[in-house]
């Protein structure tokens, strides 16, 4: 028991001293489990997130936009790969992690259960959804677990490009024809509240937060990050002449922050529980790709095994 | 009436642009739905390379035509009968073996063509080819590797690859047919003779299929018509999807 206690103290001392925890270091079992859950959810979010954006690749309005969107969705696949690898350093295989997604056991960011209905949604997803994700990801560049922090540094660079391209799409639409401006405003109306929900429940109702803060997995609370996002985004909306769909939104001179209306947590909980507009489609699409790809993966393995045997025989 | 060199060059650029544009479009349909993440990334990469090549050709086509048409005017505002890609590229994706077999057949033609175009008397075509050759070399390597993996992988993958080759073979003839467009340009040293390109294609296909233990289908009836804008029924749907926003909001910029 003493030894375990010492390990725990050493671990916490290391975290407090801002040293990174590496895969072979001792870590509390719960730290490992929390990270596996968080990193794999993050990986799944990248991969499922390819679907709503992929929905517009074949209908992108011009060749430049199409190339940018393809590159962006490809980046998300790459992020999924780094993150599955980061999860593997904690002793969970990519197959296990992916199986948990496919069976519906693992969660992913609920935002991707909303549909992309118009081209402006591609702008809104980049601007708001990637914009909200970056808040979290910038913080995670300093997370205590080394492989996760390093994966995040690379991901953040690409995400900030995604956010800018989303905002640029919105800017062009907001300054385009009246129909385009209406399309942009409609997308903002539909994506604003779900984007705020991406930061998770208020600190008072966030089940995992206190421990994650102590272990420096998280370094800022859900509400803090949400506030930074709101302050920044409201100004960006003003610049391009779009209106945030919150009648209670108000600048507070004393706090130097925007006050906002009540978030509909019932909607959030409902979508997390599986009752969003696209939960079933998203999971079905992942399962279809996985099932239809089974023979491809088998063929690749069978061929590799044959080659290895031939090499050995030679 | 005899075709001028400028008219021929415009048509030739459209052919190259449309081939790449439409194949890129089909490959982009896989994005998010590939058999594994690495393949998703690889196919998207290929779609990106092809769209880049398509843009180079369509920009140049607009320049050669001299009527102020942009790459997007050519990609989004032409109608079905104006597209001059081969039918091979517009076919639906099928399963992964079908997609890969099409890539392989396309690449085995595309690489020697682009290598020859590097020597074009037209400096712009030579420059486009110089850039494309690097990409197409890699593309051919990956599609050939997959043919070998499928052919010499499992019984199922062998069967699927063989079925795909049989279905696609009839669409390969069109890659090599030439008409007045090529004749005019060949005379000026702008485009190559197709005979050595066909020989390179044959040699590559034979070598890869032999290693893959797959059978080369016999040359029989060969489809044609794409170069004259007489496409398969797939084409209208593809364009309806691709051109939707430009058609629904005429004159808007994006």
């Amino acid at each position: 028991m003493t030894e375990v206690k010492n390990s725990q103290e050493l671990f916490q001392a290391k975290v407090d001293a801002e040293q990174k925890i590496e895969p072979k270091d001792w870590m509390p079992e719960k730290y490992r489990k929390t990270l596996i859950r968080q990193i794999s959810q993050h990986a799944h979010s990248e991969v499922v997130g390819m679907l709503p954006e992929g929905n517009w690749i074949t209908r992108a309005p011009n060749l430049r936009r199409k190339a940018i969107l393809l590159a962006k969705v490809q980046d998300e696949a790459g992020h999924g790969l780094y993150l599955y690898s980061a999860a593997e350093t904690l002793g969970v295989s990519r197959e296990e992690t992916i199986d948990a997604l496919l069976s519906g056991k693992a969660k992913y960011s609920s935002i991707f259960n909303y549909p992309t209905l118009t081209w402006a949604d591609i702008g809104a997803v980049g601007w708001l959804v990637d914009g909200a994700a970056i808040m979290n990801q910038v913080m995670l560049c300093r997370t205590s677990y080394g492989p996760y922090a390093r994966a995040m540094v690379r991901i953040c660079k690409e995400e900030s490009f995604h956010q800018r391209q989303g905002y640029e799409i919105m800017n062009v639409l907001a300054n385009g024809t009246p129909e385009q401006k209406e399309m942009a405003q409609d997308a903002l109306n539909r994506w604003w509240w779900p984007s705020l929900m991406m930061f998770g429940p208020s600190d008072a109702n966030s089940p995992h937060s206190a421990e994650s803060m102590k272990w420096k997995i998280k370094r800022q609370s859900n509400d803090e990050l949400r506030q930074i996002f709101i302050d920044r985004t409201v100004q960006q909306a003003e610049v391009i002449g779009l209106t945030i769909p919150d009648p209670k939104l108000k600048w507070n001179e004393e706090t130097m922050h925007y006050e906002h209306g009540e978030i509909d947590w019932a909607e959030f909980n409902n979508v997390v529980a599986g009752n969003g507009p696209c939960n079933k489609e998203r999971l079905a699409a992942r399962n279809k790709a996985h099932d239809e790809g089974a023979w491809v993966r088998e063929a690749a393995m069978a061929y590799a095994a044959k080659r290895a045997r031939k090499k050995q025989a030679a | 009436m005899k075709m001028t060199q400028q008219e021929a060059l415009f048509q030739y650029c459209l052919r190259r642009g449309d081939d790449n544009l439409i194949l890129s479009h089909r490959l982009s349909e896989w994005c998010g739905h590939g058999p594994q993440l690495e393949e998703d990334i690889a196919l998207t990469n290929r779609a990106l390379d092809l769209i880049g090549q398509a843009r180079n050709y369509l920009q140049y086509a607009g320049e050669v035509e001299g009527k102020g048409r942009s790459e997007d005017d050519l990609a989004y505002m032409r109608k079905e009968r104006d597209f001059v890609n081969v039918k091979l590229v517009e076919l639906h994706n099928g399963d992964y073996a079908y997609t890969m077999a099409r890539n392989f057949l396309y690449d085995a033609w595309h690489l020697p063509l682009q290598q020859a175009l590097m020597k074009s008397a037209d400096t712009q075509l030579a420059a486009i080819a110089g850039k494309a050759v690097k990409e197409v070399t890699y593309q051919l390597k990956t599609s050939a590797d997959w043919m070998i993996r499928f052919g010499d992988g499992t019984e199922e993958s062998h069967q699927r690859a063989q079925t795909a080759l049989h279905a696609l073979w009839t669409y390969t003839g069109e890659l090599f047919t030439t008409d007045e467009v090529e004749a005019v340009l060949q005379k000026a040293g702008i485009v190559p003779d197709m005979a050595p390109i066909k020989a390179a294609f044959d040699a590559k296909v034979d070598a890869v299929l032999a290693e893959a233990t797959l059978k080369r289908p016999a040359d029989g009836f060969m489809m044609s018509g794409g170069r004259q804008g007489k496409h398969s029924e797939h084409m209208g749907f593809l364009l309806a999807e691709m051109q939707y926003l430009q058609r629904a909001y005429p004159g808007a910029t994006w």
Side-chain angles (χ1 to χ4, degrees):
Chain A
M1 270 323 271
T2 346
E3 207 195 326
V4 172
K5 198 184 164 213
N6 284 343
S7 304
Q8 193 117 27
E9 280 167 3
L10 272 170
F11 170 83
Q12 190 62 49
K14 212 169 167 184
V15 169
D16 291 342
E18 299 291 337
Q19 285 170 17
K20 295 287 178 231
I21 305 300
E22 295 300 333
K24 287 190 173 150
D25 295 347
W26 186 89
M27 61 186 82
E29 203 38 40
K30 193 144 179 246
Y31 177 84
R32 181 190 304 275
K33 286 222 167 92
T34 301
L35 275 168
I36 289 175
R37 179 177 51 79
Q38 190 175 327
I39 298 174
S40 56
Q41 277 183 14
H42 193 163
H44 299 328
S45 302
E46 299 282 356
V47 173
V48 176
M50 294 168 73
L51 298 170
E53 293 189 278
N55 182 39
W56 277 89
I57 288 175
T58 55
R59 290 177 291 169
N62 59 41
L63 296 177
R64 175 176 165 263
R65 292 282 179 210
K66 189 167 169 171
I68 293 173
L69 185 57
L70 267 169
K72 176 182 191 297
V73 180
Q74 185 191 36
D75 283 348
E76 311 294 5
H79 299 172
L81 268 186
Y82 312 151
L83 288 164
Y84 283 126
S85 304
E88 279 186 317
T89 65
L90 292 158
V92 52
S93 74
R94 187 164 140 194
E95 289 70 29
E96 284 172 80
T97 312
I98 290 178
D99 283 346
L101 169 70
L102 297 175
S103 69
K105 203 177 116 207
K107 298 262 182 280
Y108 53 86
S109 180
S110 257
I111 192 84
F112 300 119
N113 291 318
Y114 290 87
T116 48
L117 300 179
T118 71
W119 172 251
D121 289 33
I122 297 306
V125 168
W127 176 35
L128 302 174
V129 175
D130 290 324
I134 289 170
M135 297 291 149
N136 210 20
Q137 287 164 346
V138 166
M139 168 188 80
L140 288 170
C141 292
R142 294 184 298 128
T143 195
S144 58
Y145 186 58
Y148 193 21
R150 289 188 289 272
M152 242 358 109
V153 171
R154 193 159 162 195
I155 289 174
C156 274
K157 284 185 194 148
E158 293 176 347
E159 289 293 351
S160 67
F161 151 73
H162 296 172
Q163 199 262 349
R164 279 202 303 275
Q165 69 85 33
Y167 187 58
E168 196 222 333
I169 289 176
M170 290 302 259
N171 185 20
V172 170
L173 294 176
N175 291 293
T177 66
E179 265 179 312
Q180 284 178 305
K181 181 162 187 181
E182 195 185 314
M183 193 192 276
Q185 183 63 52
D186 169 62
L188 172 56
N189 294 349
R190 283 181 290 108
W191 288 92
W192 174 251
W193 292 103
S195 298
L196 296 191
M197 294 174 197
M198 282 177 71
F199 296 92
S202 285
D203 300 342
N205 302 314
S206 179
H208 306 293
S209 278
E211 206 162 37
S212 286
M213 295 283 263
K214 184 179 122 201
W215 285 334
K216 301 198 178 188
I217 295 175
K218 275 178 84 148
R219 317 193 57 131
Q220 281 164 296
S221 77
N222 295 352
D223 287 335
E224 278 169 357
L225 291 171
R226 185 165 21 240
Q227 189 64 55
I228 302 172
F229 173 75
I230 292 171
D231 290 346
R232 203 178 75 170
T233 310
V234 170
Q235 290 171 4
Q236 290 172 344
E238 274 171 17
V239 169
I240 58 175
L242 294 179
T243 310
I244 301 285
D246 178 357
K248 291 188 180 156
L249 192 80
K250 194 172 91 198
W251 177 250
N252 183 324
E253 277 293 342
E254 266 165 52
T255 61
M256 297 296 278
H257 290 299
Y258 281 96
E259 291 171 9
H260 61 88
E262 195 60 31
I263 293 170
D264 182 359
W265 291 111
E267 175 182 327
F268 175 75
N269 291 326
N270 214 10
V271 179
V272 171
N275 303 315
C278 300
N279 298 54
K280 289 191 177 65
E281 283 94 329
R282 299 297 184 235
L283 214 51
R286 286 316 312 157
N287 273 291
K288 184 168 182 277
H290 188 79
D291 293 348
E292 289 179 359
W295 71 267
V296 177
R297 297 189 299 274
E298 277 161 25
M301 281 196 295
Y303 176 73
K306 270 188 204 174
R307 264 183 64 137
R309 276 200 302 276
K310 270 185 203 160
K311 220 175 167 183
Q312 221 167 23
Chain B
M1 208 169 68
K2 217 173 155 284
M3 188 178 261
T4 65
Q5 187 173 309
Q6 183 205 13
E7 284 164 350
L9 185 56
F10 171 64
Q11 274 302 317
Y12 192 80
C13 290
L14 281 187
R15 290 176 183 187
R16 296 286 78 76
D18 289 351
D19 286 341
N20 289 321
L21 175 69
I22 302 302
L23 183 56
S24 166
H25 185 91
R26 280 300 187 209
L27 293 175
S28 77
E29 292 172 0
W30 275 103
C31 189
H33 307 278
Q36 57 186 22
L37 270 178
E38 287 84 347
E39 281 307 295
D40 230 300
I41 293 172
L43 270 192
T44 308
N45 225 28
R46 176 186 278 267
L48 271 169
D49 284 345
L50 292 176
I51 207 175
Q53 292 168 27
R55 291 177 69 182
N56 288 337
Y57 281 119
L58 293 179
Q59 282 163 13
Y60 190 40
E63 222 175 275
V64 169
E65 188 192 36
K67 291 183 183 165
R69 286 206 276 183
S70 68
E71 58 178 35
D72 289 326
D73 291 333
L74 290 169
Y76 291 91
M77 302 312 287
R78 275 182 302 151
K79 300 213 166 67
E80 187 180 336
R81 293 280 279 107
D82 304 324
F83 274 81
V84 287
N85 53 280
V86 287
K87 284 180 174 174
L88 177 72
V89 296
E90 72 203 38
L91 305 172
H92 59 80
N93 281 328
D95 64 9
Y96 208 63
Y98 191 91
T99 291
M100 271 303 161
R102 168 168 56 191
N103 284 346
F104 171 63
L105 296 171
Y106 186 83
D107 300 342
W109 157 81
H110 201 200
L111 181 61
L113 176 65
Q114 291 294 347
Q115 284 168 333
L117 280 169
M118 284 171 75
K119 296 174 211 121
S120 171
D122 184 287
T123 52
Q124 185 62 19
L125 278 191
I128 294 172
K131 185 170 177 290
V133 156
K134 291 181 202 129
E135 296 165 352
V136 181
T137 301
Y138 180 73
Q139 287 165 3
L140 177 58
K141 189 187 173 312
T142 55
S143 60
D145 283 349
W146 272 108
M147 289 313 288
I148 294 164
R149 255 182 231 129
F150 285 152
D152 197 18
T154 62
E155 208 172 300
E156 181 180 3
S157 67
H158 180 94
Q159 199 54 51
R160 284 177 185 263
Q162 191 65 65
T163 304
L165 280 173
H166 278 297
L168 291 165
W169 197 254
T170 183
Y171 292 96
T172 57
E174 201 177 9
L175 294 166
F176 302 99
T177 52
T178 55
D179 58 17
E180 199 188 349
V181 170
E182 279 85 3
V184 168
L185 296 175
Q186 208 187 310
K187 213 177 274 172
I190 292 172
V191 309
D193 174 16
M194 284 310 273
I197 289 158
K198 177 71 161 67
F201 170 88
D202 284 339
K204 185 70 186 176
V205 167
D206 287 346
V208 170
L209 295 191
E211 197 180 341
T213 71
L214 291 165
K215 283 194 196 72
R216 176 182 169 133
D219 285 344
F221 164 71
M222 288 291 179
M223 289 282 181
S224 61
R227 298 287 186 228
Q228 288 75 46
K230 289 184 252 174
H231 293 280
S232 68
E233 289 180 347
H234 300 291
M235 192 65 183
F237 290 95
L238 187 154
L239 292 181
E241 188 172 340
M242 187 175 90
Q243 298 180 334
Y244 151 66
L245 280 170
Q246 290 279 357
R247 301 288 185 189
Y249 301 90
T253 49
W254 303 90

